[in-house]
Amino acid sequence: MKKIFKKKQSYILAASIIISASFSTNSFGFELTSSDIQEGEKMAKTFEFSGFGCDGGNLSPQLTWSDAPMSTKSFAITAYDPDAPTGSGWWHWVSFNIPAEVTSLSRGADLQSLGATELTSDYGSIGFGGACPPEGHGMHRYQFTIWALPVEKLELNDKVSSAIAGYTLNSMAIGTAKLTATYNR
């Protein structure tokens, strides 16, 4: 009886793993890389905000993604600081409706020229807003995420909040790839 029970447990565990993998948004092979920032490494001042007491270049980093799911019809990109002392993190960049044929962005990319929608960052300005953690607050993580989407256009306008955009992306993404860099002052 014990043998049968253990065998059933093994089958249940295997089935759970297979089901979890098939519903995961972290697509096998989907990858986000950059020539400007590296996983777990501190970003250069080039990517620091210009304002709020910071005086960096306020440029978005170069980003490249590969091996997106086959059914991808558009992309979204976000940059988020979960360590901001706000209770809700800090949205540095939210853009969607990036055409499916786009697989890289140059440093300081203008996403609106690609036909993408860029939202107002938590700084109150449209588009990318660089790192600017409070002085002495320690190292902050900056999570750059590319989202593969099954639609050409999200039914959201440029006035929607970053939280609503994040909710929408989480609810419908068919794949994600993330690159987390750090910064402190």
Side-chain angles (χ1 to χ4, degrees):
M1 185 74 158
K2 252 186 181 178
K3 251 185 180 177
I4 293 171
F5 181 70
K6 283 191 176 204
K7 197 170 187 177
K8 280 185 179 180
Q9 277 184 321
S10 296
Y11 288 136
I12 291 170
L13 178 60
S16 296
I17 291 169
I18 291 168
I19 290 168
S20 293
S22 67
F23 286 107
S24 173
T25 60
N26 294 321
S27 302
F28 184 76
F30 191 24
E31 184 177 30
L32 179 62
T33 59
S34 174
S35 59
D36 287 335
I37 60 174
Q38 307 307 316
E39 181 69 33
E41 298 293 320
K42 185 177 178 180
M43 293 185 287
K45 192 166 179 83
T46 304
F47 312 109
E48 181 183 279
F49 190 64
S50 181
F52 278 65
C54 291
D55 61 357
N58 198 42
L59 292 177
S60 60
Q62 182 281 332
L63 298 169
T64 300
W65 51 96
S66 58
D67 298 320
M70 294 285 290
S71 55
T72 301
K73 293 188 178 169
S74 71
F75 294 102
I77 186 112
T78 59
Y80 177 73
D81 173 5
D83 303 313
T86 63
S88 61
W90 192 273
W91 291 98
H92 290 265
W93 199 12
V94 178
S95 182
F96 48 85
N97 298 336
I98 300 167
E101 62 272 8
V102 175
T103 58
S104 68
L105 300 173
S106 61
R107 179 186 298 176
D110 173 10
L111 296 183
Q112 291 178 348
S113 70
L114 298 174
T117 300
E118 289 191 283
L119 298 184
T120 302
S121 72
D122 282 345
Y123 291 116
S125 55
I126 294 174
F128 179 78
C132 186
E135 283 191 47
H137 197 256
M139 195 64 75
H140 282 223
R141 295 168 290 160
Y142 296 86
Q143 301 169 336
F144 291 83
T145 306
I146 186 76
W147 306 76
L149 303 172
V151 295
E152 286 183 25
K153 298 277 184 192
L154 287 182
E155 296 296 322
L156 298 175
N157 64 36
D158 61 357
K159 303 291 184 238
V160 72
S161 71
S162 296
I164 292 292
Y167 174 83
T168 302
L169 295 174
N170 274 294
S171 71
M172 69 183 317
I174 56 175
T176 61
K178 188 179 291 189
L179 175 60
T180 303
T182 62
Y183 200 74
N184 69 320
R185 298 189 310 134

